[in-house]
């Protein structure tokens, strides 16, 4: 069975500092990996995804994530935090091309950005 | 392009009442899902559907029912509402198979309070 662990339910960074949100996954088959962002009182929006190919993937708003198979990790980073990055971030895993196995989500990490 | 549309956005129910959360998508996706989101718990899958006429239980199906008579619509019914069903509900859809990346497209959510 698949699972996702997000380390840290709340991360606080200063504006301009590095953002690092951690995600580790468990999957018995090669995974598809996703990061979603949720702004207050809104739905979830796709930030970036890894399917196949290049292990460093770039997303919207300057975020990127690196798939490390040996570490079963897919950590999300951004070099310089902006106040508008304050939101909740969810990591998710899915088996490749399996609609019968829906995405499994982590519990989320709330990012606060301090001026 | 509307994507995934959920109604209503907000609803207050009394214990024991019933209601239906509506979800429709215009992307011709075969796969549709209902999640609930509770603070600090991430998203939990309630029910999903792999196509018209086919539904299956997710992680937390008790107290809910679904139907899928068309590709576009996937309503979620709450029977005999209980305070434990106070949550934010998200409908999502996706396509899988060759060339698809498996990402979920979310509606904006329906916030339900049971008093």
């Amino acid at each position: 069975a698949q699972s996702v662990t997000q380390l840290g339910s709340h991360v606080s960074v200063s504006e301009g500092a590095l953002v690092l949100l951690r995600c580790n996954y468990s999957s018995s088959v090669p995974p598809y990996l996703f990061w979603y962002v949720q702004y207050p009182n809104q739905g979830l929006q796709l930030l970036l995804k890894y399917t196949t190919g290049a292990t460093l993937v770039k997303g919207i708003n300057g975020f990127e994530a690196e798939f490390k198979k040996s570490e079963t990790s897919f950590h999300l980073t951004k070099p310089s935090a902006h106040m508008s990055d304050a939101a909740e971030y969810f990591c998710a895993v899915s088996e490749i091309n399996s609609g019968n196995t829906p995405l499994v989500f982590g519990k989320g990490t709330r990012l606060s950005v301090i001026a | 392009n509307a994507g995934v549309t959920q109604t209503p956005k907000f609803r207050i129910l009394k214990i024991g009442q019933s209601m239906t959360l509506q979800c429709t998508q215009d992307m011709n996706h075969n796969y549709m899902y209902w999640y609930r989101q509770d603070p600090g718990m991430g998203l939990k899958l309630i029910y999903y559907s792999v196509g018209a006429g086919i539904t299956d239980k997710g992680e937390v199906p008790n107290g809910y029912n679904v139907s899928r008579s068309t590709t576009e619509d996937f309503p979620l019914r709450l029977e005999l509402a209980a305070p434990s069903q106070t949550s934010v509900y998200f409908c999502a859809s996706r396509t899988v198979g060759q060339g698809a990346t498996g990402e979920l497209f979310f509606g904006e959510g329906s916030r339900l309070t049971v008093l």
Side-chain angles (χ1 to χ4, degrees):
Chain A
Q2 303 165 92
S3 66
V4 174
T5 301
Q6 291 184 240
L7 296 177
S9 59
H10 186 205
V11 171
S12 185
V13 301
S14 298
E15 192 174 19
L18 171 72
V19 175
L20 171 60
L21 303 182
R22 300 179 186 273
C23 172
N24 288 90
Y25 70 91
S26 173
S27 178
S28 58
V29 299
Y32 282 0
L33 294 159
F34 307 84
W35 275 100
Y36 284 83
V37 59
Q38 184 182 31
Y39 299 103
N41 299 314
Q42 294 188 23
L44 279 75
Q45 176 185 2
L46 183 70
L47 203 55
L48 50 78
K49 61 185 177 233
Y50 168 78
T51 54
T52 57
T55 56
L56 180 63
V57 294
K58 296 184 184 299
I60 61 173
N61 301 336
F63 283 92
E64 62 183 35
E66 186 171 11
F67 169 58
K68 291 188 176 180
K69 184 178 179 181
S70 61
E71 299 177 7
T72 60
S73 69
F74 191 56
H75 301 330
L76 181 71
T77 60
K78 182 175 180 178
S80 177
H82 191 272
M83 297 297 288
S84 61
D85 295 326
E88 188 141 21
Y89 293 80
F90 293 92
C91 182
V93 63
S94 174
E95 291 183 355
I96 289 177
N97 275 333
S98 174
N100 288 359
T101 308
L103 269 68
V104 174
F105 287 85
K107 293 186 176 181
T109 298
R110 182 169 300 279
L111 176 67
S112 297
V113 182
I114 304 168
Chain B
N1 196 351
V4 179
T5 303
Q6 292 181 234
T7 57
K9 286 185 168 47
F10 302 94
R11 183 73 186 267
I12 298 175
L13 282 181
K14 294 183 178 179
I15 294 172
Q17 287 185 321
S18 301
M19 75 160 296
T20 299
L21 300 178
Q22 302 290 344
C23 175
T24 186
Q25 53 92 9
D26 61 0
M27 297 173 283
N28 201 32
H29 288 168
N30 281 338
Y31 296 84
M32 297 188 72
Y33 308 86
W34 275 105
Y35 289 89
R36 60 176 287 172
Q37 182 181 28
D38 300 299
M41 300 301 294
L43 283 84
K44 294 191 175 180
L45 183 66
I46 306 172
Y47 270 95
Y48 67 99
S49 169
V50 302
I54 306 170
T55 63
D56 207 347
K57 296 178 180 179
E59 184 182 0
V60 290
N62 291 343
Y64 306 95
N65 276 302
V66 293
S67 59
R68 185 94 181 273
S69 57
T70 67
T71 298
E72 294 78 19
D73 300 308
F74 189 42
L76 176 72
R77 181 146 181 93
L78 283 70
E79 305 281 3
L80 299 174
S84 61
Q85 293 178 303
T86 294
S87 188
V88 181
Y89 293 84
F90 287 100
C91 180
S93 71
R94 67 172 178 167
T95 188
V96 297
Q98 190 173 5
T101 57
E103 69 192 79
L104 281 173
F105 294 81
F106 283 87
E108 293 190 349
S110 298
R111 186 177 298 273
L112 175 67
T113 301
V114 182
L115 300 174

